[in-house]
Amino acid sequence: MKTQERISVPILPRPKMWEAGSGVFRLKAGTSITCDKGLEIPARLLSRLMAEGAGIRCRITRAAPEQGLVLKQVRRLTGIPANVDGYAIQITPRKVILKSATARGIQYACQSLFDLLQQNNEGLCLPCGCLRDWPDFAYRGFMLDVARHFLPLERLKWTLDILARNKYTHLHIHFTDAESFTLPSRRYPKLNQSPKGPHGVYSRADLRKLCDYAAEREIEIIPEIDLPGHATQIIEKYPELACKVDTEGRKPWTLCVGSEATYEFMDRLLEEITPIFPGPLFHMGTDELDFKDLSDRIFWSWKSCPVCRDRMKAESLGNRQELFYYFIRRVHGMLAKHGKRMMMWNDNIDIANPHPVPHDTLVQFWRVAGKGRGPRRGCSMNKFTKDGFEVVNSYYPDTYLDLYVSDDRLINWHPQRAPQIKPEFRQKIIGGECCAWSDGGVDPYQRVLPSSLALFADRLWNRQPVTEPDAFAHSLTKHIFGPRVSPALSPLFHILGGMALHGNKLYELKSPLLKTMPRSKRLEACRQILLEITTERQRDHTLNPQALNEYAGALRALKLKLQPGKRKS
Ligand SMILES: [Zn+2]
């Protein structure tokens, strides 16, 4: 089997190998989906995708038919690396066989099959051919910040559907921050009382539903309680957890990690929260203790607190850094007691010096510590991997959807590419995660996620950079809206000027990557596509109808900008 041109088949993330055959498999109402025992969940997922996205009702059966869609679990697939959830699809005019060694691989095959659906005059069909595909990185994550902007359960489910379409493995939820504590607590009910502004609290029942919904899509939810910094809201409700200092009008930011009351709080809280989430990972935050640049507002109090000083003396800890490690080790022990592996942001581990952070901790690398923020000397990806940690790469210019991400930045990125890493340490980087922060309560993501997460997913699935961004952008529309969307919508991202338009950007006047069209032609295209979107909304047969509304808003703003008489800027 030869490797084909990588985007010649409209599947996202781009598959590794596709060999086109001749003819098509036609889908019609009542087409059967036959599945092996244990593959009922992917069978239902495929059936639902076909119904909602393509309008075709399939029949799930256990009998071996002569034709139809067949989901098969196999011991191993030739030509595909072992243990990576790879899959194969074989399409002939009579039969479509989806194979993998794992249920997760079968789900990926179902998602790819859905991308392959084509609408022609005679209805929906699949082109004949053979596909083999597998991911290059095992950990493919996305982080949502619900502490700064609370999102209802339905929005989280919508996000999980997008993640599943793009073959992600983890949804990391930043549940707590200085602004709110959105996890339910019976032991510390004040954490959930009268939150200010739009913040809400999830019920235990909602969180269980969320975890079930994620598990059906082969996605693990990683909850994050961000401590000992970002603790302003907790301290407001439980002042006994604060350091015994005069903050002189500045915002208390960190828990008192000298006080035994803090450890009792952590232990009881984790005992209560950890059983809600079935996955093995638990994120403890641990980022941003030090804001030398904002020290007039945010106060890190351990140095002047007598309780912290007493603890340092009693435990023979030389400085605040060692006191931080003391906190980490105790919390690590609490999580281990509940069967959880600790995950943490990297910036407060002084990796250039000996440290006692347990090496089974999963480090989320987001920054090379900068001026005034965290231990600086030698804080590099190389040092973390050389030291023996497994790392998830969330390097902040490349992977932050709120401010920095852009097509040209992302198109060549992959988790082992930036920040720089020596070849011998690359294997310790198990994948990457992009982050949607909501500082200031902003929620721009309903428009941003469908396209950005697809592009980011490709960077986690394939080490190979995207060499045909224009073809990629054209495939995106059908990937997001399903096979029945009008082909007239395919230049959508060319008109908007980008695929990974971040939170503050509705459009790009000059695309950093995609072919741009002359201003007058673009204005006309913008008008046309707005009319098409109106028609699509009336036909009501696409996936993600709410995203159509979001894009319509962005296109209307662009149209105003492009109108004659408006200055370029
Ligand atoms: Zn203290």
Side-chain angles (χ1 to χ4, degrees):
M1 184 181 289
K2 61 183 178 191
T3 306
Q4 299 286 315
E5 192 61 47
R6 295 173 61 85
I7 199 73
S8 64
V9 55
I11 295 171
L12 300 180
R14 294 164 306 149
K16 297 281 192 291
M17 291 166 141
W18 165 252
E19 190 176 24
S22 58
V24 294
F25 175 92
R26 296 203 177 284
L27 275 117
K28 44 189 186 294
T31 293
S32 63
I33 300 175
T34 313
C35 68
D36 281 355
K37 195 164 188 290
L39 298 180
E40 293 81 2
I41 290 176
R44 281 202 297 275
L45 170 108
L46 182 58
S47 153
R48 203 164 45 236
L49 266 177
M50 291 294 183
E52 287 170 14
I56 292 199
R57 304 242 161 245
C58 296
R59 205 163 36 88
I60 299 178
T61 124
R62 290 292 285 281
E66 288 306 304
Q67 45 198 333
L69 311 175
V70 183
L71 276 47
K72 272 183 107 59
Q73 190 153 9
V74 293
R75 202 181 284 270
R76 116 142 265 212
L77 283 167
T78 47
I80 290 183
N83 309 319
V84 294
D85 301 313
Y87 65 91
I89 302 177
Q90 193 174 14
I91 304 169
T92 62
R94 286 178 66 79
K95 213 172 194 175
V96 178
I97 305 173
L98 290 71
K99 286 192 253 183
S100 174
T102 62
R104 178 176 271 180
I106 292 286
Q107 284 232 11
Y108 297 162
C110 294
Q111 296 291 356
S112 291
L113 196 75
F114 186 71
D115 275 345
L116 273 175
L117 280 174
Q118 297 171 351
Q119 174 95 50
N120 63 19
N121 292 339
E122 293 166 67
L124 282 158
C125 62
L126 292 159
C128 290
C130 291
L131 184 96
R132 274 168 202 275
D133 193 18
W134 62 90
D136 289 336
F137 297 98
Y139 183 108
R140 301 181 300 281
F142 170 59
M143 191 221 75
L144 260 186
D145 172 7
V146 299
R148 272 70 166 264
H149 186 98
F150 186 80
L151 294 170
L153 181 64
E154 287 311 310
R155 267 293 292 283
L156 298 182
K157 286 182 170 176
W158 173 81
T159 306
L160 281 166
D161 283 336
I162 295 180
L163 295 177
R165 282 285 294 125
N166 292 292
K167 308 180 177 113
Y168 280 79
T169 54
H170 292 82
L171 172 60
H172 163 188
I173 305 182
H174 185 76
F175 278 114
T176 78
D177 211 298
E179 290 84 352
S180 83
F181 194 97
T182 65
L183 287 165
S185 177
R186 291 178 188 136
R187 287 182 175 165
Y188 297 94
K190 278 190 272 182
L191 291 175
N192 299 148
Q193 277 169 15
S194 52
K196 288 177 203 158
H199 302 134
V201 176
Y202 297 99
S203 70
R204 300 169 79 82
D206 274 357
L207 292 172
R208 290 213 180 88
K209 277 184 214 157
L210 183 72
C211 290
D212 290 345
Y213 197 82
E216 277 179 17
R217 284 151 188 77
E218 299 285 347
I219 293 169
E220 178 185 343
I221 303 274
I222 305 172
E224 179 184 350
I225 296 181
D226 192 1
L227 289 171
H230 295 258
T232 312
Q233 201 260 357
I234 296 177
I235 291 170
E236 225 169 72
K237 304 288 173 55
Y238 294 94
E240 63 272 27
L241 301 175
C243 281
K244 304 287 176 283
V245 289
D246 177 5
T247 63
E248 296 160 1
R250 292 171 293 178
K251 196 162 66 169
W253 182 251
T254 53
L255 294 179
C256 177
V257 296
S259 165
E260 200 52 33
T262 293
Y263 297 100
E264 194 183 308
F265 167 79
M266 294 296 300
D267 201 24
R268 286 163 60 100
L269 191 65
L270 291 175
E271 189 176 51
E272 190 180 14
I273 300 296
T274 51
I276 301 174
F277 299 93
L281 287 165
F282 201 99
H283 205 304
M284 280 314 308
T286 76
D287 60 318
E288 295 190 313
L289 294 175
D290 206 359
F291 290 92
K292 288 195 186 75
D293 49 335
L294 300 175
S295 59
D296 55 328
R297 285 191 272 152
I298 295 167
F299 189 46
W300 184 17
S301 47
W302 301 350
K303 206 148 71 178
S304 40
C305 167
V307 185
C308 284
R309 284 210 307 266
D310 284 352
R311 176 71 70 173
M312 284 161 71
K313 208 165 151 194
E315 301 288 339
S316 307
L317 308 169
N319 50 38
R320 281 192 301 191
Q321 187 65 37
E322 289 181 18
L323 184 59
F324 170 71
Y325 293 145
Y326 174 80
F327 171 83
I328 292 299
R329 287 186 65 83
R330 285 197 65 175
V331 172
H332 178 274
M334 293 171 196
L335 288 172
K337 196 170 69 181
H338 301 295
K340 301 290 181 186
R341 180 184 183 191
M342 186 165 81
M343 190 165 171
M344 66 186 278
W345 300 104
N346 77 297
D347 51 316
N348 284 306
I349 302 173
D350 187 5
I351 198 67
N353 289 302
H355 65 82
V357 178
H359 280 92
D360 63 353
T361 302
L362 182 57
V363 170
Q364 187 165 17
F365 189 96
W366 73 286
R367 68 178 300 162
V368 177
K371 200 177 175 187
R373 303 277 183 101
R376 291 182 67 192
R377 195 167 57 84
C379 174
S380 71
M381 186 69 103
N382 278 329
K383 284 256 164 55
F384 276 94
T385 48
K386 188 181 178 188
D387 198 71
F389 287 107
E390 277 194 329
V391 175
V392 169
N393 188 345
S394 284
Y395 194 40
Y396 85 86
D398 300 278
T399 70
Y400 275 35
L401 289 186
D402 51 337
L403 284 174
Y404 308 103
V405 82
S406 65
D407 290 359
D408 53 338
R409 196 188 272 283
L410 202 50
I411 213 83
N412 292 312
W413 185 87
H414 67 66
Q416 295 170 347
R417 191 169 175 123
Q420 278 197 335
I421 174 94
K422 288 183 182 165
E424 62 265 39
F425 304 135
R426 282 185 191 147
Q427 285 315 311
K428 298 299 277 185
I429 301 175
I430 60 171
E433 187 174 294
C434 69
C435 303
W437 294 102
S438 296
D439 296 56
V442 184
D443 169 29
Y445 295 114
Q446 210 160 357
R447 176 178 53 80
V448 173
L449 294 192
S451 54
S452 300
L453 285 181
L455 183 53
F456 199 86
D458 186 81
R459 308 317 311 123
L460 300 174
W461 191 269
N462 290 308
R463 265 194 197 87
Q464 289 284 340
V466 177
T467 51
E468 296 182 292
D470 292 297
F472 194 102
H474 283 298
S475 300
L476 248 185
T477 322
K478 187 157 118 355
H479 177 72
I480 294 170
F481 297 112
R484 291 184 298 175
V485 73
S486 160
L489 255 69
S490 111
L492 174 65
F493 295 100
H494 282 82
I495 296 168
L496 286 171
M499 298 178 274
L501 295 169
H502 65 61
N504 299 327
K505 276 196 181 151
L506 289 171
Y507 52 79
E508 287 274 12
L509 279 178
K510 185 165 170 27
S511 166
L513 191 72
L514 302 176
K515 282 198 187 98
T516 38
M517 43 188 103
R519 193 179 167 106
S520 59
K521 196 176 162 204
R522 193 174 175 192
L523 176 60
E524 186 47 36
C526 196
R527 288 187 179 124
Q528 283 300 324
I529 208 164
L530 272 166
L531 290 174
E532 282 294 334
I533 288 180
T534 310
T535 314
E536 286 294 323
R537 276 148 81 186
Q538 283 159 358
R539 287 157 81 190
D540 191 27
H541 65 187
T542 66
L543 291 178
N544 284 307
Q546 66 281 63
L548 273 180
N549 294 340
E550 297 279 331
Y551 292 127
L555 287 162
R556 277 194 294 271
L558 175 64
K559 194 176 81 175
L560 279 178
K561 191 81 186 172
L562 290 174
Q563 268 165 3
K566 295 276 172 186
R567 283 182 53 223
K568 287 183 191 178
S569 59

